[in-house]
Amino acid sequence: MNHSAYPSVFRPGLFSGRTIVVTGGGTGLGRCIARELAALGAHVVLAARTPDPLKTTASEIEACGGSASWRSCNIRREEEVAALFAWVREERGAVDGLVNNAGGQFVSPAEDISQKGWHAVVETCLTGTFLCCREAYRASMRERGGSIVNVVSEMWRGFPGMAHSGAARAGVVNLTKTLAVEWAHAGVRVNALAPGLIRTTGLQKYGEALQPFLEEVARDVPAKRMGTEAEVSAAATFLLSPAAAYVTGATLCVDGGGSLWRKTWSIEDHEGFPPFEGFAPE
Ligand code: ADE
């Protein structure tokens, strides 16, 4: 376990006195973001379904002199989300920031995704994000303003192999724009962050068989490598910070140019697109 302070490029004390909720804050990107925000003086509230990683990350933060609490919450359950934000309001007095990082998906060709599987992904990635935004707003941000960062993914050219996640994340980008406008009057900024292929522990979930493919895809990205958790965390930190005071409704891509240029899917040879000719052949 790494107990050294997080080496942020941002100024110490940037978030002193602020409370920031990070969903999925126990592992991967969420953990890294929570570590950075805590190193900059925020009290971070880590929320996810499984308590153990949350406890571990909270202990890491405290071991570095930071301040953290955790609470188990299934973001697909409305009452649990409401209880989370009511609790934060009660314990901390306000919710100044929210990072909607929790999500979950699985690789499958679209034709094999069951309705249950589809709903599970959409409920976590889209509905869960909506519920967290709404409850943060109701509990605190409506009165005191705040900043929300919705973590999505690089799905700009569709998301072959993960149709459910691509559709849900695209929905979150649109939700981000809507909330940015509806909540501007309350001083709430709402932005999205779209990481490309990032080397996180979460990549292992896709199984050993997929790892060579992921390495090959990384070599195709203009940056010629995967991104790091720290590169995504720095972008989230910027969006939460006063340096982004005039940024709302935006989506910041942290993808090494991958949304502009990279292979996402192999298309087998086929003749499924016979051309349409306007003129009859002579
Ligand atoms: N991470 C993945 N799925 C989640 C869920 N339903 N609630 C909270 N964190 C999650």
Side-chain angles (χ1 to χ4, degrees):
M1 203 186 290
N2 180 0
H3 279 162
S4 56
Y6 188 91
S8 178
V9 299
F10 293 90
R11 107 175 127 71
L14 183 62
F15 295 112
S16 284
R18 305 275 183 217
T19 298
I20 304 178
V21 176
V22 183
T23 68
T27 52
L29 283 181
R31 166 180 169 268
C32 188
I33 293 168
R35 290 280 310 261
E36 180 159 16
L37 298 174
L40 298 170
H43 175 90
V44 290
V45 179
L46 312 170
R49 263 184 320 188
T50 328
D52 282 350
L54 299 178
K55 287 184 202 168
T56 308
T57 301
S59 310
E60 281 175 27
I61 288 171
E62 278 162 5
C64 301
S67 173
S69 49
W70 64 272
R71 193 165 158 119
S72 136
C73 172
N74 183 346
I75 59 167
R76 285 156 67 177
R77 300 220 174 103
E78 189 173 27
E79 65 287 356
E80 290 190 28
V81 177
L84 166 68
F85 286 94
W87 178 78
V88 179
R89 163 79 192 242
E90 184 76 17
E91 292 287 312
R92 306 288 314 165
V95 183
D96 302 295
L98 164 64
V99 181
N100 278 308
N101 162 75
Q105 57 257 309
F106 54 91
V107 178
S108 171
E111 74 247 42
D112 296 336
I113 299 176
S114 66
Q115 185 169 349
K116 190 167 170 238
W118 175 272
H119 277 310
V121 174
V122 173
E123 278 176 21
T124 306
C125 298
L126 177 58
T127 311
T129 294
F130 166 68
L131 292 173
C132 290
C133 289
R134 192 193 69 189
E135 290 308 313
Y137 188 73
R138 287 180 176 174
S140 173
M141 290 188 181
R142 181 162 50 194
E143 284 163 47
R144 300 174 44 116
S147 177
I148 298 175
V149 175
N150 294 324
V151 180
V152 293
S153 63
E154 192 208 306
M155 46 57 204
W156 308 107
R157 293 179 289 160
F159 207 160
M162 287 206 264
H164 37 29
S165 180
R169 308 302 190 156
V172 171
V173 169
N174 195 273
L175 173 69
T176 299
K177 295 177 186 178
T178 299
L179 299 182
V181 174
E182 287 200 17
W183 295 349
H185 71 93
V188 179
R189 293 186 300 105
V190 190
N191 290 292
L193 179 54
L197 194 54
I198 308 298
R199 200 174 289 287
T200 65
T201 45
L203 279 189
Q204 302 307 322
K205 283 191 201 136
Y206 298 121
E208 278 307 307
L210 215 66
Q211 302 307 317
F213 171 74
L214 293 173
E215 296 298 335
E216 187 193 322
V217 170
R219 286 193 291 275
D220 203 38
V221 170
K224 288 278 174 187
R225 63 168 174 85
M226 290 192 199
T228 66
E229 291 178 348
E231 287 161 345
V232 179
S233 180
T237 303
F238 162 70
L239 289 173
L240 290 166
S241 81
Y246 203 55
V247 183
T248 196
T251 301
L252 179 50
C253 297
V254 182
D255 63 13
S259 49
L260 301 171
W261 187 270
R262 82 163 165 100
K263 192 173 97 180
T264 57
W265 190 252
S266 298
I267 300 166
E268 62 197 79
D269 287 339
H270 67 82
E271 298 196 344
F273 272 60
F276 167 72
E277 303 286 5
F279 293 104
E282 290 183 9

